[in-house]
Amino acid sequence: MRARDFVKRAATTVGVVVDFVEETSEERRGDDLVTVTYFYPVVHFQTASGAPVAFRSAVGSERPQLSKGQQVPVLYDAAHPQEAKIRSFVQVWWVTLALVFVAALLAIVGAALMFR
């Protein structure tokens, strides 16, 4: 509901990828513990009133999916423009998708236990 409400009230503009924030973490991959670096795009844009805004995307990847200087569509709340998102399915809906996946997994496990 939160993502849907955000999309309904959001203004649209075009931003430019100006940098990437790199975050490194250790993750289990099979039996191995590996160090993984994720790249989060930093985007600059201007609001309808001309105010400059920069934000770091909440969604990163192991290989940058965008390039520095690349223009990207941006959704932002005029009241809180720093809470902007790159307008793409994954960027806007990733939390919702994760929660649906977890809920579906729990439902399957629960049904399997119930009919066992």
Side-chain angles (χ1 to χ4, degrees), residues 3-107:
R4 186 193 67 194
D5 291 343
F6 173 78
V7 170
K8 280 185 177 181
R9 73 175 180 277
T12 303
T13 191
V14 175
V16 177
V17 177
V18 295
D19 204 357
F20 292 91
V21 173
E22 295 180 33
E23 289 188 5
T24 303
S25 64
E26 291 187 347
E27 297 179 1
R28 283 235 172 259
R29 299 224 173 143
D31 292 335
D32 299 326
L33 187 62
V34 296
T35 301
V36 180
T37 301
Y38 289 97
F39 296 87
Y40 297 85
V42 176
V43 178
H44 282 201
F45 70 95
Q46 286 188 338
T47 64
S49 66
V53 177
F55 73 95
R56 185 196 102 157
S57 173
V59 179
S61 58
E62 289 185 50
R63 288 185 209 100
Q65 303 297 310
L66 303 169
S67 303
K68 285 185 183 179
Q70 183 175 347
Q71 292 187 335
V72 293
V74 173
L75 295 173
Y76 70 95
D77 183 340
H80 305 284
Q82 295 78 13
E83 297 174 16
K85 298 178 187 302
I86 295 172
R87 191 184 74 203
S88 75
F89 184 80
V90 171
Q91 296 278 335
V92 174
W93 297 100
W94 75 273
V95 171
T96 303
L97 292 173
L99 292 174
V100 166
F101 176 77
V102 169
L105 186 61
L106 291 173

